[in-house]
């Protein structure tokens, strides 16, 4: 049976393995916010039992945050660096 996450990542500091799902991040002009739609193919959200972290990618930026079982995750440009972890993209 296929897994719902995209890949596994190991933290080199503690050796723990995390399940990660990657999604496209969009900018919603009407709300002036970044949004990541975190739904499976059936429309249901990823649960904490299925995925540990979600990574939202938009062109040359990537942000990681904990899966909370929501269908959508939102942040403004002003709060994104406080709410989500920005990943280095080469």
């Amino acid at each position: 049976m296929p897994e719902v996450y995209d890949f596994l990542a190991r933290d080199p500091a503690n050796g723990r393995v995390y399940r990660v799902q990657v999604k496209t991040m969009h900018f919603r002009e009407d709300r002036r916010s970044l949004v990541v739609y975190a739904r499976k193919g059936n429309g249901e959200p990823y649960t904490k039992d299925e995925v540990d972290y979600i990574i939202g990618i938009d062109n040359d930026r990537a942000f990681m945050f904990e899966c909370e079982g929501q269908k959508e995750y939102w942040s403004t440009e002003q709060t994104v660096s406080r709410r989500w972890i920005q990943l280095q993209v080469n």
Side-chain angles (χ1 to χ4, degrees):
M1 180 168 100
E3 301 293 346
V4 297
Y5 54 83
D6 286 326
F7 64 89
L8 297 172
R10 186 180 62 80
D11 184 332
N14 64 20
R16 185 168 173 207
V17 175
Y18 298 95
R19 299 159 300 177
V20 181
Q21 178 64 38
V22 178
K23 291 294 189 182
T24 302
M25 183 170 52
H26 305 275
F27 183 77
R28 288 274 308 262
E29 287 288 342
D30 60 331
R31 294 190 182 190
R32 309 283 307 149
S33 297
L34 300 168
V35 62
V36 176
Y37 300 110
R39 300 177 191 144
K40 298 179 275 191
N42 64 5
E44 293 298 313
Y46 294 96
T47 68
K48 292 180 183 184
D49 292 332
E50 297 170 320
V51 173
D52 298 304
Y53 288 96
I54 297 171
I55 295 177
I57 297 178
D58 174 27
N59 297 321
D60 60 349
R61 298 188 306 169
F63 293 95
M64 182 174 73
F65 47 89
E66 287 187 50
C67 177
E68 297 292 334
Q70 299 173 199
K71 288 184 177 182
E72 300 176 0
Y73 295 84
W74 295 79
S75 183
T76 64
E77 289 284 357
Q78 294 76 23
T79 63
V80 70
S81 63
R82 292 190 308 266
R83 299 186 66 220
W84 299 346
I85 299 167
Q86 187 163 6
L87 303 175
Q88 183 70 31
V89 178
N90 293 330

